Amino acid sequence: MLEISARLEEALNKAFIKVFPKEGRSSKTSSILTDSNVVPASKPEFGDFQINCALSLAKELKQAPREIAQQITDQLQKDNDFVQICNPPQIAGPGFINLSINSKTLISEIHFRLNDKRLGVPLKKFSSEEIEEGKNNNRVIIDFSSPNIAKEMHVGHLRSTIIGDSLARVLEFCGYEVLRLNHVGDWGTQFGMLITHLKEVVPEALHKKDVVEISDLVNFYRQAKKRFDEDKIFQKQSRDEVVNLQAGDQESLIAWQLLCKQSRKEFQKIYDRLDIKLTERGESFYNKFLVDVINDLKNKNLLINDQGAQCIFLDGVIGKDGKPQPIIIQKSDGGFNYTTTDLAAIKYRLTTPPNGDGAFRLIYVTDAGQASHFSGVFQIAKIANWIPTNCQIEHVPFGLVQGEDGKKLKTRSGETIRLVDLLDEAIQRAREDLKDRLNTESRSENESFIDKVSKTVGIAAIKYADLSQNRISNYQFSFDKMLSLQGNTAPYLLYALVRIAGISRNGGDLNVSSQKIQFNESQEWALIRKLLQLDCIIAEVEKELLPNRLCGYLFELSQIFNRFYDQVPILKASEPTRTSRLALCSITADTLKLGMSLLGIPTLERM
Ligand code: ARG
């Protein structure tokens, strides 16, 4: 419906010129008229699209809104292209204009989708000249997942991983080249503490592979941190160790690499299970650029020496004491921090190759707690003039994962939950649910079926539960809810697909090409209208980076499909209705599969 809405918008703009002649328009009127005024209908009973501007125009022009709406609709109906695609507009309530696309246009759109792998979603094309001239770049960087070495990945990283991956999939599908960057925390004081501690307790771990497991490392790190906080001598030793490492000391480097390798192996296990592809480029990658960052900021007179530290003061950044709060870029001991690395990363990512990535859109997926960090870093990059005018940098924040008690998610004994355990439990519970269901349905299935279904459902449920929430809000983690076959859940969507696969197994040929199709029932039209919204929804996700919009759409689509499936006969219908309904089943299945794949969620034929 993207193209149709563009055509309606064009017809509306032509109508505006007739109804509100250009000369004599106030600036307010002009701004109302130049907005995009054709918006998706807020409820299905209002049709497909709405035009709401008659109300604001009425205020500005001091006329009755319904009268204005009437003038606009009269004009629209004189437009040939408009009349071709739209039923006569309806004026509703105080002056809303409701538009519904006529059945001829809907059917031709359905025909088109039967033969289009992209289901009507346009593929962005970029000419190589445009790309070379830096005018129209297609490269996007998504910085997501980004756990810290020697620490365990936590549920916050899980959220970042799932949300970041789905945004990457959507943007890739739209035609962008997406660099999926794992900005792992692989540098900094934590290594000083850890290496110092390990030197005493398991020195061989620092020069031999696989001596310690990640869970040991996490424990060693905890012990090291405790000593660091309590013991002045240990503190000094750790700091010296960091200096050694940063100065490139061979022994320290080897130890550091071993620790990174061990963590990486554990992270990879999670990524494999979740089917996530990422390119690791940790904080340490930017070491060689840190001095440049400082020099550049110094040359631009942006740095202020505050008690020996190099700082930037930004407008509006105020500390608890009400005084302007400095952002430290280089510590008084000469060391760099998280902010310095992120500044170097922005600069590198926006610089054209071969000295950088040459991206035009940078997206950072982290918990909302880092919002002020990113806002500071982005502002500094801006005043340092590192952001070309056509480039965009965005923080994509998300809320906390909470237990069902509304508190931070913990195990029963109060410890933080390990991600592997979370995934295992989801799969185990999916398995029990499945076995119960097989029992009540008196079905017998072999072990490999049970295994496959429970793995798919478990992982799908975890991912979908996360993605279907507006990411900004905190979300309550509940195995019972996410695994339920009822409601806005992965199993509910998977089940709609399973039903369609069942139709095909029972003799319904879903390979409908361009036969005559014809529709009479309201359940069919409702399904058609929903199917045709896919392109608009994907365009929305591309812009607003909210995967829950796509989830909500797939959920509504499944509901409308289920109503259609329950209320009208498909295989038992006579021709051409049978083929026409099979065509709708086929497009519904393709739409659900595509949508789920953009969320990174696996699907099934039977469950
Ligand atoms: N390692 C960080 C953390 O665990 C997240 C890094 C996010 N990306 C970035 N460029 N700062 O909180």
Side-chain angles (χ1 to χ4, degrees):
M1 294 278 222
L2 271 179
E3 198 216 286
I4 289 180
S5 83
R7 277 164 71 186
L8 294 175
E9 192 81 53
E10 205 182 303
L12 183 63
N13 285 333
K14 280 197 216 145
F16 282 160
I17 293 178
K18 291 269 164 57
V19 184
F20 313 101
K22 277 214 165 137
E23 53 281 358
R25 276 186 197 172
S26 71
S27 65
K28 180 81 196 286
T29 307
S30 300
S31 95
I32 298 173
L33 297 181
T34 44
D35 262 355
S36 12
N37 282 306
V38 177
V39 296
S42 58
K43 282 191 185 152
E45 50 273 33
F46 299 157
D48 298 295
F49 296 99
Q50 275 170 259
I51 302 171
N52 302 333
C53 60
L55 287 97
S56 41
L57 283 169
K59 229 191 239 158
E60 183 59 21
L61 301 171
K62 307 209 169 43
Q63 287 179 30
R66 283 189 74 101
E67 235 161 70
I68 292 191
Q70 190 63 52
Q71 287 174 0
I72 297 174
T73 53
D74 287 349
Q75 209 44 252
L76 282 172
Q77 281 190 274
K78 290 186 196 150
D79 185 305
N80 234 336
D81 193 42
F82 180 84
V83 177
Q84 288 279 325
I85 53 179
C86 207
N87 292 324
Q90 303 291 318
I91 299 175
F96 300 113
I97 303 172
N98 293 339
L99 304 178
S100 80
I101 305 304
N102 61 31
S103 37
K104 197 179 102 230
T105 308
L106 293 176
I107 292 190
S108 91
E109 290 286 312
I110 283 293
H111 260 292
F112 176 72
R113 269 159 193 70
L114 276 174
N115 301 304
D116 178 31
K117 278 209 181 72
R118 298 187 56 85
L119 297 170
V121 180
L123 177 66
K124 293 224 161 40
K125 296 228 171 68
F126 301 89
S127 79
S128 48
E129 284 130 62
E130 276 182 322
I131 292 177
E132 249 161 55
E133 287 167 22
K135 260 197 230 141
N136 197 355
N137 197 327
N138 68 338
R139 189 167 301 160
V140 180
I141 289 180
I142 308 188
D143 176 320
F144 70 102
S145 192
S146 309
N148 300 314
I149 298 286
K151 300 186 193 171
E152 204 125 29
M153 241 198 243
H154 54 67
V155 281
H157 295 123
L158 180 68
R159 277 208 99 174
S160 171
T161 307
I162 294 173
I163 296 170
D165 174 61
S166 127
L167 295 176
R169 287 171 190 257
V170 171
L171 293 175
E172 281 155 5
F173 184 70
C174 290
Y176 297 100
E177 185 197 328
V178 180
L179 198 52
R180 301 152 157 260
L181 288 185
N182 198 2
H183 189 85
V184 295
D186 64 354
W187 205 240
T189 34
Q190 82 239 46
F191 290 97
M193 300 176 209
L194 190 59
I195 293 176
T196 311
H197 184 58
L198 286 177
K199 266 186 181 165
E200 282 173 36
V201 290
V202 242
E204 64 275 21
L206 297 172
H207 45 83
K208 251 204 340 254
K209 272 206 310 206
D210 294 331
V211 175
V212 285
E213 294 279 317
I214 178 84
S215 49
D216 302 333
L217 266 190
V218 172
N219 277 329
F220 287 130
Y221 175 73
R222 254 186 232 136
Q223 294 162 6
K225 174 89 177 68
K226 188 157 183 281
R227 287 181 67 186
F228 186 86
D229 292 339
E230 290 167 358
D231 176 352
K232 281 258 149 36
I233 300 171
F234 185 82
Q235 234 178 58
K236 165 97 180 54
Q237 286 171 330
S238 303
R239 293 227 163 87
D240 291 347
E241 194 53 60
V242 177
V243 175
N244 283 345
L245 179 63
Q246 298 193 337
D249 174 79
Q250 233 11 58
E251 220 172 276
S252 308
L253 274 178
I254 290 175
W256 169 71
Q257 275 160 357
L258 273 172
L259 298 175
C260 290
K261 222 182 231 164
Q262 198 61 23
S263 285
R264 204 172 283 142
K265 232 168 56 191
E266 289 307 311
F267 298 158
Q268 194 55 44
K269 279 189 204 155
I270 303 248
Y271 297 142
D272 287 344
R273 287 181 75 172
L274 294 173
D275 187 24
I276 306 282
K277 307 252 173 331
L278 267 159
T279 303
E280 183 183 318
R281 195 201 273 165
E283 294 179 11
S284 63
F285 173 87
Y286 301 97
N287 277 333
K288 47 187 181 295
F289 306 113
L290 298 177
V291 175
D292 273 356
V293 165
I294 304 292
N295 289 339
D296 192 353
L297 296 174
K298 220 177 249 167
N299 291 338
K300 289 177 177 151
N301 285 325
L302 294 172
L303 293 185
I304 289 174
N305 189 318
D306 190 51
Q307 299 164 48
Q310 296 297 327
C311 302
I312 293 190
F313 289 87
L314 292 174
D315 288 343
V317 182
I318 307 287
K320 284 199 190 98
D321 55 1
K323 289 190 192 143
Q325 191 175 344
I327 296 183
I328 300 177
I329 312 288
Q330 186 171 23
K331 294 184 276 187
S332 54
D333 65 5
F336 305 110
N337 59 21
Y338 190 50
T339 304
T340 332
T341 310
D342 259 328
L343 286 171
I346 292 189
K347 207 164 175 242
Y348 188 86
R349 291 167 183 185
L350 293 175
T351 302
T352 43
N355 298 319
D357 296 312
F360 90 104
R361 188 176 187 185
L362 307 185
I363 294 168
Y364 295 78
V365 189
T366 79
D367 63 289
Q370 300 201 33
S372 66
H373 162 74
F374 283 111
S375 139
V377 167
F378 295 171
Q379 277 188 67
I380 295 172
K382 203 162 163 197
I383 54 179
N385 254 327
W386 295 342
I387 310 178
T389 41
N390 59 338
C391 292
Q392 222 179 325
I393 326 192
E394 294 149 274
H395 179 218
V396 170
F398 53 79
L400 301 172
V401 185
Q402 300 169 323
E404 284 178 83
D405 54 1
K407 295 200 189 116
K408 209 172 154 190
L409 192 67
K410 290 233 163 81
T411 61
R412 268 194 211 110
S413 54
E415 283 154 45
T416 41
I417 292 192
R418 300 189 328 149
L419 287 192
V420 258
D421 297 338
L422 214 62
L423 302 184
D424 285 343
E425 181 161 354
I427 294 170
Q428 184 51 33
R429 288 189 186 225
R431 195 184 180 86
E432 281 153 24
D433 287 357
L434 173 62
K435 283 191 163 164
D436 284 349
R437 200 154 45 79
L438 292 178
N439 243 335
T440 44
E441 291 173 10
S442 312
R443 277 165 63 190
S444 75
E445 297 283 358
N446 61 23
E447 194 46 37
S448 93
F449 174 87
I450 295 177
D451 210 52
K452 172 153 185 261
V453 173
S454 37
K455 272 192 187 132
T456 308
V457 171
I459 298 289
I462 292 226
K463 285 193 177 186
Y464 190 81
D466 196 325
L467 294 169
S468 57
Q469 304 285 321
N470 183 321
R471 57 174 162 75
I472 320 276
S473 18
N474 294 342
Y475 112 81
Q476 282 192 6
F477 193 95
S478 158
F479 283 117
D480 287 337
K481 271 200 204 120
M482 70 173 72
L483 287 164
S484 166
L485 267 168
Q486 299 307 325
N488 187 7
T489 64
Y492 182 80
L493 303 198
L494 289 172
Y495 196 66
L497 262 175
V498 164
R499 281 184 141 180
I500 301 175
I503 295 174
S504 150
R505 275 195 302 277
N506 289 325
D509 182 6
L510 295 180
N511 282 321
V512 183
S513 50
S514 312
Q515 282 109 323
K516 259 214 153 343
I517 44 178
Q518 145 192 328
F519 302 104
N520 305 303
E521 301 297 336
S522 63
Q523 293 90 338
E524 298 166 330
W525 291 114
L527 183 54
I528 291 169
R529 293 199 136 89
K530 196 78 222 168
L531 285 170
L532 296 181
Q533 289 172 3
L534 176 72
D535 53 358
C536 292
I537 298 293
I538 291 186
E540 229 177 271
V541 180
E542 176 199 338
K543 202 163 119 217
E544 294 171 20
L545 307 178
L546 289 170
N548 63 303
R549 294 276 161 79
L550 179 55
C551 297
Y553 167 75
L554 296 175
F555 176 51
E556 284 162 20
L557 175 62
S558 306
Q559 285 180 309
I560 294 175
F561 171 77
N562 283 335
R563 216 169 298 141
F564 161 86
Y565 180 92
D566 291 333
Q567 296 177 0
V568 302
I570 299 171
L571 291 173
K572 293 208 173 101
S574 51
E575 292 297 357
T577 300
R578 186 176 187 272
T579 302
S580 307
R581 290 183 181 161
L582 285 172
L584 294 187
C585 291
S586 156
I587 303 177
T588 303
D590 291 346
T591 306
L592 285 172
K593 276 187 210 155
L594 173 63
M596 306 276 262
S597 82
L598 297 180
L599 297 171
I601 293 180
T603 57
L604 292 160
E605 298 275 302
R606 288 195 320 122
M607 68 191 268

